[in-house]
Amino acid sequence: MKITAIKVFVCSPGRNFVTVKIHTDAGIYGIGDATLNGREMAVVTYLEEHVAPCLIGRDAHAIEDIWQYLYKGVYWRKGAVNLAAIAAIDMALWDIKGKAAGLPVYQLLGGKSRQGVTLYAHASGENIADTLDKAAQLIDQGYKAIRLQSAIPGLPVTYGVLGDKKDYYELQGNRPLPPEEQWSTKKYFNLVVELFKQARERFGNDIHLLHDVHSRLTPIESARLGKLLEPYDLLFLEDASIAENQDSYKIIRQHTTTPLAIGETYNTIWDCKDLIQNQLIDYIRVAATHAGGITALRRIGDFANIYNVKTAPHGAPDLSPICFAAHMHLNTWAPNFGIQEFVGLGNEQVKQIFTSTVTVSDGMAYVSEAPGLGVDFDETAAQQYPYKRSYLPVSRLEDGTLWNW
Ligand code: EZ4
Ligand code: CO
C-alpha cells in the first residue's frame, strides 16, 4: 500500500489546528494532528516542503521505518516543529493501518486494559468561591477528578482565567500579538493553599483534586508548595517547576510526598528519561502531537511503566480531536495509564470539522470500535474557518522581568 499524496490543512474554528491527511493507492486515507500552538505555520511549511516529498511512494504500513527515517534522517533531531510533524504523519499511518486491518488502533496496540478512561475536568474561577462553584457543577456532571485553578487577587490576569470572565481558551483564535500576564509567587502562595483547604472542606476526601503550577516556581518553592498541599491529598501537582535540568526535581522530591506530573511540552523520551528513571515524577504528561505520535508515546509509556510512572496525556483544547482520539487508544491499552486531562469535545465548529466517535459520560471516555482512530476530518467545513495568527500569552513579574508563562 503506497503513499500517493500528503495534504496539510490549517483551520481556525475558534482556535488554530494543523491537520495532515495521507492518501494511499488502496483508496484508504489517514489523518493526524500537527498543531503547535503559536507556531502553527512553521509546522505547515516543514511538512509541505521538507517531509511530504520524501514520503510519496513509500509503504504506508512501514510506520516504524518512516518514524526512524524522519527522526534520524533529519540529522538535527528533536525539536517541537520536527516532532509535531513526525507525530501527525505517525498518527495518520496508524489510522491507515487500523482501517486496512478493520480494527480500532487500541487493538493493534494490544487490546483493552480497561473498559473506560477516567478524565479530569477543569474548574477555573475568578476567585476561590467561583472556582469551587465550577467544581461543584463538574462533580454534579459525574466527574471524579477536577483540576482547580483560581485567579490571584491583586494580579490583573492569571493563567487559566481571563480578567473579562471569558473562558481562557476562547480568545486564542484571535491574538495577533502575544498578550502579557503578571505573576507573583508571594500572592500565589497566599491563595493556592487556601483554595485546596476550602475544596476539601466543601467536597470531602473522595473526589480527586489536581493543580497546574504552569512552571512558575523554582524547585525549592515547589518543594514548599508540595509540603503545604500534602494535607489536601492531590492526585498530582503539575509542572511545579521547569525541568530542563532534570536533576532539579530531586530537590522537590526530597521534600514532599505530593505526587508530581510533567511533560506536556516534551518532544522526546530524552526530555523525561532522567525524571522517569530516577523516579522523580509519578505521571508523565507527554502528548501524541508534541512528542512524536503513537509510536513514541507507546515507547515512553512502556519505559515509564518499569519505574511505576503512570501516563496522564495532555488534554488541552490546542490538541485537535485527532490527538484526543490517539490518546484514547493509548489510554485504553496502556497497562500503566493514570488519568486523561479533558476540557470537552470542542465547540460546534470543531465538532463539524472533526467528527469523532469517542463518547463521554459520567467523567469517563470510551473509544468506539470504528477501524483506525475513529475520527474524520471535513476539508470543506475546515475551509470556512481560515487560519488566524494567534499567540499564547507571555508572563512577567511585577517588576517587568520576563517569567515562565
Ligand atoms: O497551557 O496547552 O495542562 N494544560 C495546560 C495547557 C497549556 C496549553 C498551551 O498551549 O497547561 O492549558
Ligand atoms: Co499543563
Side-chain angles (χ1 to χ4, degrees):
M1 185 167 51
K2 284 192 171 21
I3 295 172
T4 51
I6 299 179
K7 292 183 195 155
V8 186
F9 305 87
V10 50
C11 62
S12 188
R15 61 176 316 111
N16 292 314
F17 292 114
V18 179
T19 304
V20 170
K21 194 165 184 178
I22 300 183
H23 293 270
T24 65
D25 61 4
I28 298 172
Y29 65 85
I31 54 176
D33 178 28
T35 307
L36 185 62
N37 199 348
R39 296 293 184 272
E40 295 86 356
M41 299 312 282
V43 188
V44 172
T45 305
Y46 189 83
L47 277 161
E48 286 180 344
E49 186 61 26
H50 303 298
V51 172
C54 307
L55 301 185
I56 306 300
R58 283 178 193 275
D59 177 11
H61 274 306
I63 299 178
E64 186 67 52
D65 184 66
I66 289 175
W67 199 98
Q68 300 296 336
Y69 178 82
L70 292 175
Y71 184 74
K72 293 177 179 159
V74 76
Y75 183 62
W76 311 108
R77 305 164 92 111
K78 300 188 180 178
V81 173
N82 183 26
L83 269 298
I86 294 176
I89 298 291
D90 183 81
M91 280 180 219
L93 294 177
W94 279 97
D95 193 22
I96 288 169
K97 196 183 278 296
K99 287 173 179 170
L103 290 170
V105 167
Y106 80 82
Q107 291 288 17
L108 306 181
L109 293 170
K112 276 190 187 178
S113 293
R114 58 194 54 76
Q115 295 311 311
V117 165
T118 305
L119 305 169
Y120 72 90
H122 287 194
S124 303
E126 290 295 304
N127 49 51
I128 292 176
D130 186 28
T131 300
L132 298 185
D133 286 348
K134 286 178 173 158
Q137 286 168 18
L138 292 164
I139 292 167
D140 283 347
Q141 289 167 35
Y143 289 96
K144 288 148 196 78
I146 321 270
R147 187 187 92 160
L148 302 178
Q149 309 290 139
S150 170
I152 299 170
L155 293 184
V157 192
T158 319
Y159 166 74
V161 189
L162 278 175
D164 57 6
K165 291 186 192 279
K166 284 193 178 168
D167 183 87
Y168 67 113
Y169 292 111
E170 231 172 67
L171 293 186
Q172 290 193 4
N174 185 23
R175 284 170 163 173
L177 289 172
E180 301 219 346
E181 297 183 357
Q182 251 185 20
W183 179 253
S184 156
T185 296
K186 182 98 188 97
K187 289 178 174 141
Y188 168 70
F189 263 94
N190 294 339
L191 170 113
V192 70
V193 181
E194 186 61 24
L195 171 65
F196 281 88
K197 181 170 176 281
Q198 290 189 25
R200 280 295 172 218
E201 283 166 5
R202 182 157 166 189
F203 303 123
N205 292 326
D206 286 346
I207 204 88
H208 288 299
L209 299 178
L210 304 92
H211 180 65
D212 191 349
V213 183
H214 230 248
S215 310
R216 307 294 166 82
L217 300 179
T218 64
I220 197 67
E221 289 165 351
S222 295
R224 177 164 166 258
L225 180 62
K227 254 182 153 167
L228 291 171
L229 291 178
E230 273 172 30
Y232 312 116
D233 185 25
L234 268 62
L235 182 76
F236 63 61
L237 185 64
E238 176 186 341
D239 286 350
S241 299
I242 292 285
E244 279 163 335
N245 171 13
Q246 295 182 39
D247 261 358
S248 69
Y249 261 59
K250 285 182 186 158
I251 295 170
I252 311 174
R253 201 59 157 173
Q254 278 161 6
H255 289 286
T256 181
T257 57
T258 293
L260 303 172
I262 196 166
E264 69 183 42
T265 63
Y266 293 174
N267 311 136
T268 70
I269 198 166
W270 306 106
D271 298 332
C272 47
K273 174 186 151 280
D274 297 350
L275 291 169
I276 292 171
Q277 206 165 25
N278 296 323
Q279 291 177 270
L280 300 176
I281 56 170
D282 300 280
Y283 294 85
I284 182 68
R285 293 192 17 85
V286 280
T289 299
H290 298 132
I294 293 169
T295 298
L297 254 67
R298 179 180 59 168
R299 201 151 282 150
I300 293 171
D302 272 339
F303 176 65
N305 193 24
I306 302 173
Y307 300 98
N308 290 307
V309 174
K310 292 182 182 175
T311 61
H314 190 203
D318 54 13
L319 297 156
S320 91
I322 307 171
C323 178
F324 187 62
H327 287 167
M328 283 300 301
H329 288 279
L330 286 156
N331 297 341
T332 300
W333 154 74
N336 55 327
F337 166 70
I339 197 159
Q340 173 65 58
E341 185 180 27
F342 183 64
V343 290
L345 292 169
N347 64 25
E348 287 314 307
Q349 295 97 309
V350 171
K351 286 182 190 156
Q352 185 198 350
I353 296 168
F354 302 92
T355 43
S356 178
T357 57
V358 173
T359 53
V360 174
S361 69
D362 261 349
M364 305 283 290
Y366 303 88
V367 279
S368 76
E369 292 303 310
L373 291 174
V375 53
D376 211 346
F377 175 72
D378 184 336
E379 292 175 35
T380 319
Q383 279 170 2
Q384 296 170 45
Y385 308 100
Y387 166 74
K388 286 186 193 161
R389 192 180 61 205
S390 177
Y391 292 97
L392 286 166
V394 297
S395 186
R396 290 186 190 275
L397 304 181
E398 287 166 295
D399 70 357
T401 307
L402 199 86
W403 196 235
N404 307 323
W405 179 70

